[in-house]
Amino acid sequence: MPTDRRRAADVEDAEHFFDGSDLGRLAFRRVHALVTACGPCELRVAKTQVGWARRRGFAYLWRPGRWLRHPSAEVVLTIDLPRRDSSARFKEVVEPRPKLFVHHLELHDVADIDEQVERWLQEAFAAAG
């Protein structure tokens, strides 16, 4: 993920990030509901992504079409886990540092944010604490 300055944001700021993307806005609402159900966390909006953090960031939504020439999805959900998950659903998994695995999940429909994704978000939330 590209890095840039982040700031605390409110839901309106985050929804504005997804202007022009109905899927992005719906995915944001769904992920935000799942993450905030886990407990308190900070919502952050940056130039490149919308994210959630506790002591550190743990989940991010971004629009690859803003950065890639030929994106294969309109929206990507990135989840940081303390382990590599072998699910074939992930487009890519990288380990930027020991015990931190960044998992990229392409979203093609809000239904892609299912119970399995909810469990990954709960795990990421707990690990970021």
Side-chain angles (χ1 to χ4, degrees), residues 25-37:
R25 190 168 282 120
L26 291 171
F28 165 74
R29 290 174 184 163
R30 175 78 175 128
V31 172
H32 187 65
L34 293 173
V35 167
T36 56

Side-chain angles (χ1 to χ4, degrees), residues 1-4 14 17-19 21 23-25 27-28 31 44-52 58-80 90-94 102-108 113:
M1 295 291 309
T3 59
D4 60 356
F17 178 88
F18 293 103
D19 283 350
S21 172
L23 175 58
R25 190 168 282 120
F28 165 74
V31 172
R44 297 175 174 173
V45 176
K47 183 178 178 184
T48 59
Q49 65 193 8
V50 170
W52 293 265
F58 63 90
Y60 314 88
L61 280 171
W62 55 288
R63 297 175 64 185
R66 290 184 171 179
W67 315 107
L68 305 175
R69 279 195 149 180
H70 304 288
S72 54
E74 185 177 339
V75 179
V76 172
L77 173 60
T78 298
I79 304 171
D80 294 351
F90 291 116
K91 170 91 175 190
E92 180 181 35
V93 179
V94 296
V102 177
H103 299 73
H104 298 291
L105 177 66
E106 292 183 332
L107 302 177
H108 301 282
I113 307 168

